[in-house]
Amino acid sequence: MTRGADAALHAFVDGRRTALFRSAYLLCGNRDEAEDLVQTTLVKVVLGARRHGRLDHLEAYARRTLVNTFISARRRFWRREQAYGELPDIPGHSADRDTGLMVRAALAGLAPKQRAVLVLRYWEDLSVAATAELLGMRESTVKSHTARGLAALRAAVREEHV
């Protein structure tokens, strides 16, 4: 790999780490696990880019690697443990913090693919077609995962308010 390509790869990692972390946090619901997921994803992206010698569509490759790494980690039996009792790092407004915690808890209760679809569609602001392409599924599957995931989120949030 040339110096210019290596510098471009380094700039990509520096520029996208925070955005990938935010998506990973929404997927995982745990700061430490999200950091591990981003680190694993960036290692895979750097190795893949160096192996193939191309930097085309690096953003999409990084997102797909992040989601695929998350989903494959959720399939492993030993990853099914749950962490409890976390405090927020930065105190915020009471209503916003409570709502955010409630939504993240509801998001954590979804199946990994539904969670991935919702994060890509509403956090990353990808279209149905882009999400389907990224996850390797049909657009109708993305739509059904979106509808079911949103219904489950609404039910969980409604249940918390009652």
Side-chain angles (χ1 to χ4, degrees), residues 24 27-28 33-42 66 69-70:
L27 288 169
C28 299
E33 191 177 342
E35 287 174 356
D36 291 344
L37 178 60
V38 170
Q39 185 67 30
T40 302
T41 298
L42 289 175
L66 179 83
T69 303
F70 166 74

Side-chain angles (χ1 to χ4, degrees), residues 12-128:
F12 173 80
V13 169
D14 283 343
R16 295 301 299 160
R17 180 185 301 271
T18 303
L20 288 172
F21 174 76
R22 289 178 182 147
S23 295
Y25 183 75
L26 288 174
L27 288 169
C28 299
N30 178 316
R31 183 179 188 87
D32 296 326
E33 191 177 342
E35 287 174 356
D36 291 344
L37 178 60
V38 170
Q39 185 67 30
T40 302
T41 298
L42 289 175
V43 167
K44 288 180 179 182
V45 168
V46 168
L47 292 176
R50 287 184 176 165
R51 181 177 46 242
H52 298 298
R54 296 175 52 196
L55 297 174
D56 301 345
H57 311 290
L58 200 54
E59 176 71 29
Y61 181 68
R63 269 198 217 117
R64 183 173 192 141
T65 302
L66 179 83
V67 171
N68 287 346
T69 303
F70 166 74
I71 290 172
S72 69
R74 293 294 172 180
R75 290 184 183 137
R76 296 185 191 123
F77 178 72
W78 58 272
R79 295 295 293 175
R80 293 187 185 149
E81 58 190 56
Q82 297 279 332
Y84 295 99
E86 292 183 14
L87 297 174
D89 291 341
I90 302 170
H93 300 293
S94 177
D96 291 339
R97 186 187 72 220
D98 292 343
T99 302
L101 289 173
M102 183 176 21
V103 170
R104 284 193 295 275
L107 195 59
L110 297 177
K113 285 190 179 181
Q114 279 183 348
R115 194 177 328 165
V117 166
L118 290 179
V119 168
L120 290 172
R121 290 277 293 123
Y122 296 105
W123 182 256
E124 293 285 335
D125 200 27
L126 295 181
S127 67
V128 172

Side-chain angles (χ1 to χ4, degrees), residues 118-147:
L118 290 179
V119 168
L120 290 172
R121 290 277 293 123
Y122 296 105
W123 182 256
E124 293 285 335
D125 200 27
L126 295 181
S127 67
V128 172
T131 302
E133 183 180 334
L134 190 69
L135 294 175
M137 54 178 64
R138 295 181 189 171
E139 288 184 26
S140 60
T141 306
V142 170
K143 290 176 185 177
S144 67
H145 278 318
T146 302

